[in-house]
Amino acid sequence: MGRYYSGDIEGKFAFTIQSSDAADRFGVIGKPPEYLEYNYYKDDLEELQKELKHIEDTFGPQKQALKIYFDLYKTQDDAPLSFDSYIKENGLPELTKSQLSEYYDYLLGRKILECIQETGSCSFDAEL
């Protein structure tokens, strides 16, 4: 069982780690009742980039590994190993549960950013 989001971007929320309203932190509040509806536009880019930078800064020594890993694999599905395994292999400290949650939010935020940059907007529904 999992919770998904779909529309201009698609994916699955991290089980027990990531909330359905994770996209709220990037400047647009989801609209319930059955699903959270998100509509991002170019006007939202500044807030989105600011929050992505904030997340990057929470990673401390893993910050550079986070950026490299994301640039290499884009999504967890493309990766031959998890981010947690990747940082262990590179001799960095293990992720805390909080950092792992931040990592999944970062992936979502980057998907939203790339969608806006490519199409000018990004709309999707998130299951509650």
mmCIF file of all heavy atoms in Angstrom, residues 1-47:
data_model
loop_
_atom_site.group_PDB
_atom_site.id
_atom_site.type_symbol
_atom_site.label_atom_id
_atom_site.label_comp_id
_atom_site.label_asym_id
_atom_site.label_seq_id
_atom_site.Cartn_x
_atom_site.Cartn_y
_atom_site.Cartn_z
ATOM 1 N N MET A 1 0.845 -1.168 0.000
ATOM 2 C CA MET A 1 0.000 0.000 0.000
ATOM 3 C C MET A 1 0.895 1.237 0.000
ATOM 4 O O MET A 1 1.888 1.309 0.686
ATOM 5 C CB MET A 1 -0.874 0.000 1.250
ATOM 6 C CG MET A 1 -1.831 1.157 1.281
ATOM 7 S SD MET A 1 -2.880 1.042 2.735
ATOM 8 C CE MET A 1 -2.894 2.733 3.208
ATOM 9 N N GLY A 2 0.523 2.206 -0.776
ATOM 10 C CA GLY A 2 1.284 3.437 -0.829
ATOM 11 C C GLY A 2 0.393 4.585 -1.259
ATOM 12 O O GLY A 2 -0.728 4.390 -1.708
ATOM 13 N N ARG A 3 0.931 5.759 -1.097
ATOM 14 C CA ARG A 3 0.223 6.967 -1.529
ATOM 15 C C ARG A 3 1.006 7.559 -2.685
ATOM 16 O O ARG A 3 2.228 7.654 -2.651
ATOM 17 C CB ARG A 3 0.138 7.973 -0.371
ATOM 18 C CG ARG A 3 -0.745 7.489 0.762
ATOM 19 C CD ARG A 3 -0.535 8.304 2.039
ATOM 20 N NE ARG A 3 0.821 8.096 2.539
ATOM 21 C CZ ARG A 3 1.773 9.032 2.588
ATOM 22 N NH1 ARG A 3 1.531 10.258 2.233
ATOM 23 N NH2 ARG A 3 2.983 8.752 3.026
ATOM 24 N N TYR A 4 0.288 7.958 -3.704
ATOM 25 C CA TYR A 4 0.902 8.422 -4.932
ATOM 26 C C TYR A 4 0.510 9.862 -5.228
ATOM 27 O O TYR A 4 -0.475 10.369 -4.702
ATOM 28 C CB TYR A 4 0.450 7.548 -6.106
ATOM 29 C CG TYR A 4 0.921 6.121 -5.989
ATOM 30 C CD1 TYR A 4 0.197 5.184 -5.246
ATOM 31 C CD2 TYR A 4 2.096 5.716 -6.602
ATOM 32 C CE1 TYR A 4 0.647 3.881 -5.130
ATOM 33 C CE2 TYR A 4 2.537 4.412 -6.488
ATOM 34 C CZ TYR A 4 1.803 3.496 -5.754
ATOM 35 O OH TYR A 4 2.248 2.213 -5.640
ATOM 36 N N TYR A 5 1.284 10.479 -6.110
ATOM 37 C CA TYR A 5 0.877 11.747 -6.692
ATOM 38 C C TYR A 5 0.990 11.597 -8.205
ATOM 39 O O TYR A 5 1.808 10.836 -8.711
ATOM 40 C CB TYR A 5 1.702 12.932 -6.158
ATOM 41 C CG TYR A 5 3.192 12.788 -6.242
ATOM 42 C CD1 TYR A 5 3.889 13.246 -7.362
ATOM 43 C CD2 TYR A 5 3.916 12.207 -5.217
ATOM 44 C CE1 TYR A 5 5.270 13.131 -7.441
ATOM 45 C CE2 TYR A 5 5.293 12.088 -5.284
ATOM 46 C CZ TYR A 5 5.967 12.557 -6.406
ATOM 47 O OH TYR A 5 7.327 12.438 -6.475
ATOM 48 N N SER A 6 0.093 12.287 -8.921
ATOM 49 C CA SER A 6 0.086 12.149 -10.373
ATOM 50 C C SER A 6 -0.431 13.425 -11.019
ATOM 51 O O SER A 6 -1.154 14.196 -10.413
ATOM 52 C CB SER A 6 -0.779 10.958 -10.793
ATOM 53 O OG SER A 6 -2.114 11.153 -10.376
ATOM 54 N N GLY A 7 -0.037 13.617 -12.237
ATOM 55 C CA GLY A 7 -0.383 14.801 -13.016
ATOM 56 C C GLY A 7 0.799 15.126 -13.901
ATOM 57 O O GLY A 7 1.326 14.242 -14.575
ATOM 58 N N ASP A 8 1.266 16.376 -13.876
ATOM 59 C CA ASP A 8 2.448 16.751 -14.647
ATOM 60 C C ASP A 8 3.698 16.038 -14.147
ATOM 61 O O ASP A 8 4.643 15.814 -14.900
ATOM 62 C CB ASP A 8 2.678 18.262 -14.590
ATOM 63 C CG ASP A 8 1.625 19.046 -15.354
ATOM 64 O OD1 ASP A 8 0.969 18.463 -16.247
ATOM 65 O OD2 ASP A 8 1.445 20.239 -15.065
ATOM 66 N N ILE A 9 3.718 15.691 -12.878
ATOM 67 C CA ILE A 9 4.781 14.863 -12.305
ATOM 68 C C ILE A 9 4.115 13.691 -11.600
ATOM 69 O O ILE A 9 2.943 13.775 -11.215
ATOM 70 C CB ILE A 9 5.691 15.642 -11.323
ATOM 71 C CG1 ILE A 9 4.884 16.202 -10.142
ATOM 72 C CG2 ILE A 9 6.447 16.743 -12.056
ATOM 73 C CD1 ILE A 9 5.725 16.796 -9.041
ATOM 74 N N GLU A 10 4.830 12.609 -11.462
ATOM 75 C CA GLU A 10 4.275 11.420 -10.821
ATOM 76 C C GLU A 10 5.289 10.811 -9.887
ATOM 77 O O GLU A 10 6.495 10.947 -10.083
ATOM 78 C CB GLU A 10 3.864 10.394 -11.879
ATOM 79 C CG GLU A 10 2.764 10.887 -12.781
ATOM 80 C CD GLU A 10 2.309 9.831 -13.776
ATOM 81 O OE1 GLU A 10 2.922 8.757 -13.860
ATOM 82 O OE2 GLU A 10 1.321 10.107 -14.467
ATOM 83 N N GLY A 11 4.800 10.129 -8.870
ATOM 84 C CA GLY A 11 5.687 9.441 -7.956
ATOM 85 C C GLY A 11 4.919 8.868 -6.790
ATOM 86 O O GLY A 11 3.695 8.926 -6.723
ATOM 87 N N LYS A 12 5.669 8.299 -5.874
ATOM 88 C CA LYS A 12 5.101 7.667 -4.687
ATOM 89 C C LYS A 12 5.750 8.298 -3.460
ATOM 90 O O LYS A 12 6.961 8.504 -3.441
ATOM 91 C CB LYS A 12 5.392 6.168 -4.717
ATOM 92 C CG LYS A 12 4.775 5.388 -3.597
ATOM 93 C CD LYS A 12 5.044 3.897 -3.769
ATOM 94 C CE LYS A 12 4.442 3.107 -2.628
ATOM 95 N NZ LYS A 12 4.690 1.674 -2.786
ATOM 96 N N PHE A 13 4.946 8.618 -2.471
ATOM 97 C CA PHE A 13 5.465 9.167 -1.231
ATOM 98 C C PHE A 13 6.182 8.063 -0.450
ATOM 99 O O PHE A 13 5.764 6.911 -0.466
ATOM 100 C CB PHE A 13 4.334 9.748 -0.371
ATOM 101 C CG PHE A 13 3.720 10.975 -0.979
ATOM 102 C CD1 PHE A 13 2.456 10.920 -1.550
ATOM 103 C CD2 PHE A 13 4.396 12.181 -0.982
ATOM 104 C CE1 PHE A 13 1.879 12.049 -2.112
ATOM 105 C CE2 PHE A 13 3.831 13.316 -1.537
ATOM 106 C CZ PHE A 13 2.571 13.253 -2.104
ATOM 107 N N ALA A 14 7.258 8.423 0.227
ATOM 108 C CA ALA A 14 8.031 7.473 1.026
ATOM 109 C C ALA A 14 7.169 6.977 2.192
ATOM 110 O O ALA A 14 6.657 7.768 2.974
ATOM 111 C CB ALA A 14 9.309 8.125 1.538
ATOM 112 N N PHE A 15 7.019 5.681 2.296
ATOM 113 C CA PHE A 15 6.175 5.056 3.304
ATOM 114 C C PHE A 15 6.663 5.388 4.706
ATOM 115 O O PHE A 15 7.838 5.226 5.010
ATOM 116 C CB PHE A 15 6.151 3.539 3.083
ATOM 117 C CG PHE A 15 5.213 2.807 3.990
ATOM 118 C CD1 PHE A 15 3.847 2.944 3.857
ATOM 119 C CD2 PHE A 15 5.708 1.992 4.999
ATOM 120 C CE1 PHE A 15 2.984 2.262 4.697
ATOM 121 C CE2 PHE A 15 4.855 1.308 5.841
ATOM 122 C CZ PHE A 15 3.492 1.445 5.685
ATOM 123 N N THR A 16 5.785 5.865 5.536
ATOM 124 C CA THR A 16 5.981 6.243 6.947
ATOM 125 C C THR A 16 6.967 7.406 7.157
ATOM 126 O O THR A 16 7.170 7.822 8.276
ATOM 127 C CB THR A 16 6.448 5.076 7.848
ATOM 128 O OG1 THR A 16 7.793 4.742 7.553
ATOM 129 C CG2 THR A 16 5.538 3.872 7.735
ATOM 130 N N ILE A 17 7.544 7.931 6.090
ATOM 131 C CA ILE A 17 8.543 8.990 6.229
ATOM 132 C C ILE A 17 8.040 10.315 5.680
ATOM 133 O O ILE A 17 8.337 11.365 6.219
ATOM 134 C CB ILE A 17 9.853 8.584 5.508
ATOM 135 C CG1 ILE A 17 10.480 7.398 6.229
ATOM 136 C CG2 ILE A 17 10.833 9.739 5.432
ATOM 137 C CD1 ILE A 17 11.670 6.822 5.543
ATOM 138 N N GLN A 18 7.257 10.279 4.610
ATOM 139 C CA GLN A 18 6.877 11.499 3.902
ATOM 140 C C GLN A 18 5.364 11.670 3.921
ATOM 141 O O GLN A 18 4.628 10.750 3.594
ATOM 142 C CB GLN A 18 7.397 11.411 2.464
ATOM 143 C CG GLN A 18 7.274 12.668 1.667
ATOM 144 C CD GLN A 18 7.889 12.500 0.293
ATOM 145 O OE1 GLN A 18 7.886 11.410 -0.271
ATOM 146 N NE2 GLN A 18 8.396 13.591 -0.249
ATOM 147 N N SER A 19 4.927 12.863 4.273
ATOM 148 C CA SER A 19 3.492 13.112 4.335
ATOM 149 C C SER A 19 2.934 13.468 2.957
ATOM 150 O O SER A 19 3.664 13.907 2.066
ATOM 151 C CB SER A 19 3.178 14.239 5.330
ATOM 152 O OG SER A 19 3.634 15.467 4.833
ATOM 153 N N SER A 20 1.632 13.304 2.788
ATOM 154 C CA SER A 20 0.969 13.616 1.532
ATOM 155 C C SER A 20 1.026 15.097 1.203
ATOM 156 O O SER A 20 0.917 15.477 0.048
ATOM 157 C CB SER A 20 -0.506 13.178 1.583
ATOM 158 O OG SER A 20 -0.600 11.779 1.683
ATOM 159 N N ASP A 21 1.171 15.933 2.220
ATOM 160 C CA ASP A 21 1.226 17.370 1.972
ATOM 161 C C ASP A 21 2.657 17.904 1.898
ATOM 162 O O ASP A 21 2.906 19.096 2.084
ATOM 163 C CB ASP A 21 0.403 18.141 3.010
ATOM 164 C CG ASP A 21 0.955 18.014 4.419
ATOM 165 O OD1 ASP A 21 1.917 17.254 4.644
ATOM 166 O OD2 ASP A 21 0.403 18.681 5.309
ATOM 167 N N ALA A 22 3.608 17.041 1.574
ATOM 168 C CA ALA A 22 5.012 17.448 1.496
ATOM 169 C C ALA A 22 5.219 18.609 0.528
ATOM 170 O O ALA A 22 6.060 19.472 0.756
ATOM 171 C CB ALA A 22 5.891 16.261 1.087
ATOM 172 N N ALA A 23 4.442 18.674 -0.527
ATOM 173 C CA ALA A 23 4.609 19.746 -1.515
ATOM 174 C C ALA A 23 4.184 21.108 -0.973
ATOM 175 O O ALA A 23 4.545 22.136 -1.545
ATOM 176 C CB ALA A 23 3.825 19.418 -2.789
ATOM 177 N N ASP A 24 3.465 21.152 0.144
ATOM 178 C CA ASP A 24 3.068 22.431 0.752
ATOM 179 C C ASP A 24 4.284 23.302 1.053
ATOM 180 O O ASP A 24 4.212 24.526 0.968
ATOM 181 C CB ASP A 24 2.310 22.216 2.066
ATOM 182 C CG ASP A 24 0.866 21.803 1.884
ATOM 183 O OD1 ASP A 24 0.424 21.607 0.736
ATOM 184 O OD2 ASP A 24 0.178 21.649 2.916
ATOM 185 N N ARG A 25 5.389 22.690 1.387
ATOM 186 C CA ARG A 25 6.567 23.452 1.811
ATOM 187 C C ARG A 25 7.207 24.234 0.676
ATOM 188 O O ARG A 25 8.066 25.064 0.894
ATOM 189 C CB ARG A 25 7.575 22.532 2.480
ATOM 190 C CG ARG A 25 8.304 21.603 1.544
ATOM 191 C CD ARG A 25 9.191 20.627 2.251
ATOM 192 N NE ARG A 25 10.261 21.308 2.980
ATOM 193 C CZ ARG A 25 11.110 20.683 3.770
ATOM 194 N NH1 ARG A 25 11.024 19.378 3.936
ATOM 195 N NH2 ARG A 25 12.051 21.357 4.385
ATOM 196 N N PHE A 26 6.785 24.001 -0.569
ATOM 197 C CA PHE A 26 7.374 24.681 -1.710
ATOM 198 C C PHE A 26 6.549 25.868 -2.195
ATOM 199 O O PHE A 26 6.711 26.333 -3.315
ATOM 200 C CB PHE A 26 7.630 23.682 -2.848
ATOM 201 C CG PHE A 26 8.569 22.585 -2.428
ATOM 202 C CD1 PHE A 26 8.102 21.302 -2.227
ATOM 203 C CD2 PHE A 26 9.902 22.849 -2.191
ATOM 204 C CE1 PHE A 26 8.961 20.289 -1.809
ATOM 205 C CE2 PHE A 26 10.771 21.847 -1.769
ATOM 206 C CZ PHE A 26 10.300 20.570 -1.585
ATOM 207 N N GLY A 27 5.646 26.374 -1.351
ATOM 208 C CA GLY A 27 4.987 27.641 -1.634
ATOM 209 C C GLY A 27 3.565 27.577 -2.123
ATOM 210 O O GLY A 27 2.932 28.614 -2.305
ATOM 211 N N VAL A 28 3.006 26.406 -2.364
ATOM 212 C CA VAL A 28 1.604 26.265 -2.766
ATOM 213 C C VAL A 28 0.963 25.276 -1.805
ATOM 214 O O VAL A 28 1.526 24.226 -1.525
ATOM 215 C CB VAL A 28 1.474 25.751 -4.224
ATOM 216 C CG1 VAL A 28 0.039 25.433 -4.566
ATOM 217 C CG2 VAL A 28 2.048 26.775 -5.199
ATOM 218 N N ILE A 29 -0.204 25.605 -1.286
ATOM 219 C CA ILE A 29 -0.895 24.738 -0.339
ATOM 220 C C ILE A 29 -1.885 23.863 -1.105
ATOM 221 O O ILE A 29 -2.688 24.366 -1.900
ATOM 222 C CB ILE A 29 -1.643 25.568 0.737
ATOM 223 C CG1 ILE A 29 -0.671 26.509 1.457
ATOM 224 C CG2 ILE A 29 -2.372 24.662 1.716
ATOM 225 C CD1 ILE A 29 0.464 25.826 2.175
ATOM 226 N N GLY A 30 -1.821 22.549 -0.861
ATOM 227 C CA GLY A 30 -2.725 21.610 -1.516
ATOM 228 C C GLY A 30 -4.164 21.832 -1.083
ATOM 229 O O GLY A 30 -4.427 22.244 0.039
ATOM 230 N N LYS A 31 -5.085 21.559 -2.004
ATOM 231 C CA LYS A 31 -6.504 21.761 -1.732
ATOM 232 C C LYS A 31 -7.196 20.411 -1.599
ATOM 233 O O LYS A 31 -7.283 19.663 -2.555
ATOM 234 C CB LYS A 31 -7.129 22.565 -2.878
ATOM 235 C CG LYS A 31 -6.508 23.939 -3.026
ATOM 236 C CD LYS A 31 -7.062 24.661 -4.229
ATOM 237 C CE LYS A 31 -6.337 25.972 -4.371
ATOM 238 N NZ LYS A 31 -5.739 26.168 -5.652
ATOM 239 N N PRO A 32 -7.695 20.069 -0.370
ATOM 240 C CA PRO A 32 -8.404 18.813 -0.166
ATOM 241 C C PRO A 32 -9.823 18.887 -0.734
ATOM 242 O O PRO A 32 -10.158 19.932 -1.268
ATOM 243 C CB PRO A 32 -8.424 18.679 1.356
ATOM 244 C CG PRO A 32 -8.157 20.032 1.901
ATOM 245 C CD PRO A 32 -7.518 20.841 0.821
ATOM 246 N N PRO A 33 -10.680 17.911 -0.722
ATOM 247 C CA PRO A 33 -10.893 16.932 0.317
ATOM 248 C C PRO A 33 -10.308 15.549 0.038
ATOM 249 O O PRO A 33 -9.612 15.003 0.870
ATOM 250 C CB PRO A 33 -12.393 16.846 0.432
ATOM 251 C CG PRO A 33 -12.907 17.122 -0.929
ATOM 252 C CD PRO A 33 -11.877 18.062 -1.546
ATOM 253 N N GLU A 34 -10.581 14.902 -1.130
ATOM 254 C CA GLU A 34 -10.098 13.543 -1.349
ATOM 255 C C GLU A 34 -8.625 13.511 -1.740
ATOM 256 O O GLU A 34 -7.908 12.585 -1.399
ATOM 257 C CB GLU A 34 -10.925 12.855 -2.438
ATOM 258 C CG GLU A 34 -12.358 12.590 -2.007
ATOM 259 C CD GLU A 34 -13.138 11.887 -3.088
ATOM 260 O OE1 GLU A 34 -12.569 11.011 -3.758
ATOM 261 O OE2 GLU A 34 -14.318 12.220 -3.254
ATOM 262 N N TYR A 35 -8.216 14.481 -2.484
ATOM 263 C CA TYR A 35 -6.838 14.617 -2.929
ATOM 264 C C TYR A 35 -6.372 16.025 -2.600
ATOM 265 O O TYR A 35 -7.179 16.931 -2.453
ATOM 266 C CB TYR A 35 -6.736 14.445 -4.454
ATOM 267 C CG TYR A 35 -7.005 13.057 -4.944
ATOM 268 C CD1 TYR A 35 -8.288 12.626 -5.243
ATOM 269 C CD2 TYR A 35 -5.951 12.171 -5.122
ATOM 270 C CE1 TYR A 35 -8.526 11.347 -5.699
ATOM 271 C CE2 TYR A 35 -6.181 10.884 -5.583
ATOM 272 C CZ TYR A 35 -7.469 10.478 -5.872
ATOM 273 O OH TYR A 35 -7.690 9.209 -6.325
ATOM 274 N N LEU A 36 -5.079 16.182 -2.517
ATOM 275 C CA LEU A 36 -4.525 17.531 -2.434
ATOM 276 C C LEU A 36 -4.172 17.933 -3.862
ATOM 277 O O LEU A 36 -3.438 17.220 -4.544
ATOM 278 C CB LEU A 36 -3.266 17.550 -1.558
ATOM 279 C CG LEU A 36 -3.477 17.214 -0.092
ATOM 280 C CD1 LEU A 36 -2.135 17.139 0.628
ATOM 281 C CD2 LEU A 36 -4.363 18.253 0.567
ATOM 282 N N GLU A 37 -4.755 19.021 -4.327
ATOM 283 C CA GLU A 37 -4.490 19.500 -5.677
ATOM 284 C C GLU A 37 -3.422 20.587 -5.616
ATOM 285 O O GLU A 37 -3.527 21.512 -4.828
ATOM 286 C CB GLU A 37 -5.760 20.089 -6.294
ATOM 287 C CG GLU A 37 -6.866 19.083 -6.470
ATOM 288 C CD GLU A 37 -8.148 19.721 -6.988
ATOM 289 O OE1 GLU A 37 -8.122 20.901 -7.397
ATOM 290 O OE2 GLU A 37 -9.178 19.039 -6.968
ATOM 291 N N TYR A 38 -2.401 20.444 -6.455
ATOM 292 C CA TYR A 38 -1.309 21.421 -6.504
ATOM 293 C C TYR A 38 -1.195 22.004 -7.898
ATOM 294 O O TYR A 38 -1.236 21.270 -8.884
ATOM 295 C CB TYR A 38 0.028 20.769 -6.129
ATOM 296 C CG TYR A 38 0.112 20.391 -4.679
ATOM 297 C CD1 TYR A 38 -0.189 19.108 -4.247
ATOM 298 C CD2 TYR A 38 0.485 21.336 -3.726
ATOM 299 C CE1 TYR A 38 -0.113 18.766 -2.909
ATOM 300 C CE2 TYR A 38 0.564 21.007 -2.382
ATOM 301 C CZ TYR A 38 0.267 19.722 -1.985
ATOM 302 O OH TYR A 38 0.340 19.386 -0.658
ATOM 303 N N ASN A 39 -1.058 23.312 -7.957
ATOM 304 C CA ASN A 39 -0.848 24.025 -9.211
ATOM 305 C C ASN A 39 0.275 25.033 -8.995
ATOM 306 O O ASN A 39 0.102 26.016 -8.288
ATOM 307 C CB ASN A 39 -2.122 24.753 -9.655
ATOM 308 C CG ASN A 39 -3.243 23.780 -9.952
ATOM 309 O OD1 ASN A 39 -3.157 23.025 -10.897
ATOM 310 N ND2 ASN A 39 -4.270 23.785 -9.128
ATOM 311 N N TYR A 40 1.415 24.755 -9.579
ATOM 312 C CA TYR A 40 2.580 25.628 -9.472
ATOM 313 C C TYR A 40 2.785 26.347 -10.801
ATOM 314 O O TYR A 40 2.547 25.770 -11.872
ATOM 315 C CB TYR A 40 3.844 24.807 -9.180
ATOM 316 C CG TYR A 40 3.911 24.248 -7.787
ATOM 317 C CD1 TYR A 40 3.342 23.016 -7.483
ATOM 318 C CD2 TYR A 40 4.543 24.942 -6.776
ATOM 319 C CE1 TYR A 40 3.411 22.497 -6.207
ATOM 320 C CE2 TYR A 40 4.611 24.434 -5.489
ATOM 321 C CZ TYR A 40 4.051 23.210 -5.218
ATOM 322 O OH TYR A 40 4.117 22.701 -3.951
ATOM 323 N N TYR A 41 3.256 27.575 -10.718
ATOM 324 C CA TYR A 41 3.513 28.393 -11.900
ATOM 325 C C TYR A 41 4.880 29.049 -11.770
ATOM 326 O O TYR A 41 5.526 28.972 -10.721
ATOM 327 C CB TYR A 41 2.410 29.453 -12.054
ATOM 328 C CG TYR A 41 1.041 28.840 -12.138
ATOM 329 C CD1 TYR A 41 0.235 28.742 -11.007
ATOM 330 C CD2 TYR A 41 0.574 28.303 -13.336
ATOM 331 C CE1 TYR A 41 -1.016 28.148 -11.072
ATOM 332 C CE2 TYR A 41 -0.683 27.703 -13.406
ATOM 333 C CZ TYR A 41 -1.467 27.627 -12.272
ATOM 334 O OH TYR A 41 -2.702 27.032 -12.331
ATOM 335 N N LYS A 42 5.311 29.726 -12.810
ATOM 336 C CA LYS A 42 6.618 30.405 -12.786
ATOM 337 C C LYS A 42 6.734 31.362 -11.614
ATOM 338 O O LYS A 42 7.820 31.546 -11.074
ATOM 339 C CB LYS A 42 6.856 31.131 -14.103
ATOM 340 C CG LYS A 42 7.165 30.202 -15.252
ATOM 341 C CD LYS A 42 7.472 30.967 -16.518
ATOM 342 C CE LYS A 42 7.780 29.985 -17.636
ATOM 343 N NZ LYS A 42 8.079 30.665 -18.891
ATOM 344 N N ASP A 43 5.628 31.968 -11.203
ATOM 345 C CA ASP A 43 5.641 32.891 -10.065
ATOM 346 C C ASP A 43 6.054 32.195 -8.768
ATOM 347 O O ASP A 43 6.443 32.861 -7.808
ATOM 348 C CB ASP A 43 4.260 33.524 -9.854
ATOM 349 C CG ASP A 43 3.863 34.450 -10.992
ATOM 350 O OD1 ASP A 43 4.731 34.816 -11.803
ATOM 351 O OD2 ASP A 43 2.680 34.821 -11.050
ATOM 352 N N ASP A 44 5.943 30.882 -8.724
ATOM 353 C CA ASP A 44 6.278 30.114 -7.524
ATOM 354 C C ASP A 44 7.751 29.680 -7.485
ATOM 355 O O ASP A 44 8.194 29.097 -6.490
ATOM 356 C CB ASP A 44 5.378 28.872 -7.429
ATOM 357 C CG ASP A 44 3.911 29.236 -7.327
ATOM 358 O OD1 ASP A 44 3.566 30.064 -6.469
ATOM 359 O OD2 ASP A 44 3.115 28.693 -8.115
ATOM 360 N N LEU A 45 8.498 29.968 -8.538
ATOM 361 C CA LEU A 45 9.882 29.495 -8.617
ATOM 362 C C LEU A 45 10.763 30.021 -7.497
ATOM 363 O O LEU A 45 11.571 29.274 -6.940
ATOM 364 C CB LEU A 45 10.507 29.856 -9.972
ATOM 365 C CG LEU A 45 10.127 28.943 -11.130
ATOM 366 C CD1 LEU A 45 10.700 29.480 -12.439
ATOM 367 C CD2 LEU A 45 10.609 27.526 -10.884
ATOM 368 N N GLU A 46 10.634 31.280 -7.139
ATOM 369 C CA GLU A 46 11.503 31.845 -6.107
ATOM 370 C C GLU A 46 11.328 31.117 -4.777
ATOM 371 O O GLU A 46 12.301 30.722 -4.137
ATOM 372 C CB GLU A 46 11.218 33.339 -5.925
ATOM 373 C CG GLU A 46 12.157 34.001 -4.949
ATOM 374 C CD GLU A 46 11.914 35.498 -4.822
ATOM 375 O OE1 GLU A 46 11.353 36.105 -5.741
ATOM 376 O OE2 GLU A 46 12.292 36.040 -3.777
ATOM 377 N N GLU A 47 10.093 30.914 -4.365
ATOM 378 C CA GLU A 47 9.817 30.208 -3.101
ATOM 379 C C GLU A 47 10.301 28.761 -3.180
ATOM 380 O O GLU A 47 10.885 28.230 -2.237
ATOM 381 C CB GLU A 47 8.324 30.255 -2.788
ATOM 382 C CG GLU A 47 7.933 29.543 -1.515
ATOM 383 C CD GLU A 47 8.428 30.240 -0.254
ATOM 384 O OE1 GLU A 47 8.631 31.459 -0.284
ATOM 385 O OE2 GLU A 47 8.612 29.540 0.758
#
